[in-house]
Amino acid sequence: PTNPLTARVMVNRIWQHHFGEGLVRTPNDFGHRGEAPTHPELLDDLARRFISDSWSIKSLHRHILRSHAYRLTSAEQPESAAIDPENRYLWRFHRRRMDAESIRDNLLSLSATLSTGPPGPHPFPPVSTWSFTQHNPFVAVYDHNHRSVYLMQQRVKRHPFFTLFDGPDSNSTTPHRNNTTVPSQSLYFMNSPFVQQQSQLLADRLIKNHGNDEERLYAAFRMIYARKPSRPEQVAIMHFLDNYQSRFSDRAQSSHEQNRTAWIALAKTLLSSNEFIAWE
C-alpha cells in the first residue's frame, strides 16, 4: 500500500497499448528524469482499481475499453488541436496503424485460416548438419498460420514482416514501438504472396457463404471494417466488379471463375486500404 509503483507502471503499459501513448510517456522511467503523468489522478485511480481487482488484467482491459476516452472518434477538431496539438488531454482518439502482430493475425482471421492453438516445434535442421560460424550464421524464416507471437525470432536477422511493420527488437526491451507509415508497407500489400493468398481465401469464403454480390459486399465490410458500406461505396464497388469481370469475358473462363477473380481483386483492395490497418 505504501508503494504503488508496480501498479502504476503496469496500468500505464496497458493504457499505452490501447491508446498508443501512456499517461506517462516515458514507460521505462517513472523517476525524476521521466515525464510527469498528464492525468495523475486517473493514473492513481486505475492503479487502485487494479490492486482492488486482485491485479486482474482482464478487468482493467474491460474498464478501459468501456471508457468514454476509448470510444472517442479520431476526427480532428480545429479548436482543440490549436490548444493541444499532441492530444495529450485526450480530446480525440489517437489514430495509428495496427502493430505488426495484429496486421498478420487479422489477415489470417479474415481468411479463416488462423490456428489459435500453440504450434509444434520449428523444423530446425538436424544438429549433425550444423556448420554455422560467426560469418555464416544460421538464418531462417519459418512461417505458419498460428498467431504471430509464435513466429520464430532471431537476433542476427529480424523477421522481414516485423522489420517492415515496426515489430519489437529482440535484442533489447522495447518500451515504445515506432509507428511508421512508409511506401514499402503499401507495396507489401500490393505485391506480397501472403496478402494475395489471404485475399483469395477471403474471396472464396465470401462466395461460399453468401449468394450474391450485394450480400458479399455487406459481409466483407462487416468483417474488414466493422461497418456497412455507404451508398457511394456500393455503387463504386459494383461498377468495379462489373468492369473487372468484363476484362476476362474473352478468355476461356466460366462466369464463376470471372466472378471469383474479380472478388479476389476487390478483397485485396479492401485489405490494402488505410481503414483496415489503422485504429481510429
Side-chain angles (χ1 to χ4, degrees):
T2 59
N3 182 16
L5 182 61
T6 304
R8 282 174 175 162
V9 170
M10 189 64 178
V11 162
N12 191 65
R13 292 282 182 134
I14 293 173
W15 184 277
Q16 176 181 287
H17 172 74
H18 289 301
F19 287 88
E21 294 286 355
L23 298 171
V24 178
R25 295 201 171 191
T26 50
N28 261 19
D29 190 349
F30 273 55
H32 290 293
R33 293 182 300 177
E35 287 195 30
T38 53
H39 302 71
E41 296 87 355
L42 174 58
L43 180 64
D44 281 351
D45 180 71
L46 291 173
R48 283 193 296 268
R49 181 185 293 269
F50 187 41
I51 295 170
S52 65
D53 286 340
S54 302
W55 303 81
S56 171
I57 295 176
K58 183 179 290 187
S59 295
L60 182 60
H61 282 307
R62 186 181 296 112
H63 182 61
I64 292 175
L65 295 180
R66 288 175 173 175
S67 69
H68 171 72
Y70 185 79
R71 291 181 291 171
L72 287 171
T73 177
S74 61
E76 286 287 340
Q77 300 175 26
E79 301 84 1
S80 300
I83 299 171
D84 177 25
E86 295 185 7
N87 189 34
R88 287 181 173 246
Y89 297 108
L90 304 173
W91 51 270
R92 66 176 176 87
F93 189 78
H94 279 290
R95 190 174 190 271
R96 57 196 175 98
R97 203 202 67 234
M98 282 194 290
D99 56 49
E101 294 91 337
S102 298
I103 293 174
R104 181 179 176 276
D105 291 356
N106 269 304
L107 288 171
L108 290 171
S109 178
L110 289 168
S111 65
T113 57
L114 178 66
S115 299
T116 56
H122 293 295
F124 295 121
V127 177
S128 59
T129 65
W130 288 5
S131 58
F132 311 118
T133 65
Q134 177 182 359
H135 302 291
N136 181 35
F138 170 74
V139 175
V141 174
Y142 295 126
D143 286 321
H144 49 64
N145 285 352
H146 294 272
R147 291 170 56 210
S148 301
V149 69
Y150 294 116
L151 285 173
M152 186 183 74
Q153 300 288 336
Q154 295 185 221
R155 291 192 173 187
V156 294
K157 182 179 180 180
R158 296 177 67 192
H159 192 287
F161 185 84
F162 289 119
T163 301
L164 180 59
F165 290 100
D166 305 312
D169 183 358
S170 58
N171 288 305
S172 61
T173 59
T174 307
H176 198 287
R177 296 191 192 183
N178 293 327
N179 192 16
T180 61
T181 304
V182 293
S184 54
Q185 294 168 354
S186 296
L187 291 171
Y188 176 86
F189 273 90
M190 293 171 62
N191 302 306
S192 163
F194 174 71
V195 175
Q196 178 66 22
Q197 181 187 36
Q198 305 316 307
S199 301
Q200 292 174 357
L201 293 169
L202 174 57
D204 290 339
R205 181 184 180 186
L206 293 167
I207 292 171
K208 178 182 178 181
N209 296 334
H210 303 280
N212 57 60
D213 285 344
E214 185 177 356
E215 291 180 2
R216 293 165 192 161
L217 178 58
Y218 272 81
F221 267 69
R222 283 198 306 270
M223 293 164 60
I224 300 172
Y225 300 146
R227 65 174 177 87
K228 295 179 180 179
S230 66
R231 183 59 187 167
E233 287 172 331
Q234 294 179 51
V235 172
I237 289 174
M238 290 304 178
H239 185 64
F240 170 85
L241 291 173
D242 290 340
N243 282 350
Y244 208 92
Q245 291 183 65
S246 66
R247 294 170 56 188
F248 298 92
S249 60
D250 58 341
R251 301 186 185 183
Q253 279 190 327
S254 65
S255 58
H256 173 76
E257 283 299 317
Q258 293 175 20
N259 183 253
R260 179 177 181 267
T261 301
W263 269 99
I264 292 172
L266 177 59
K268 189 173 181 180
T269 301
L270 297 177
L271 293 175
S272 302
S273 67
N274 286 339
E275 187 172 355
F276 170 65
I277 64 171
W279 280 315
E280 59 179 15

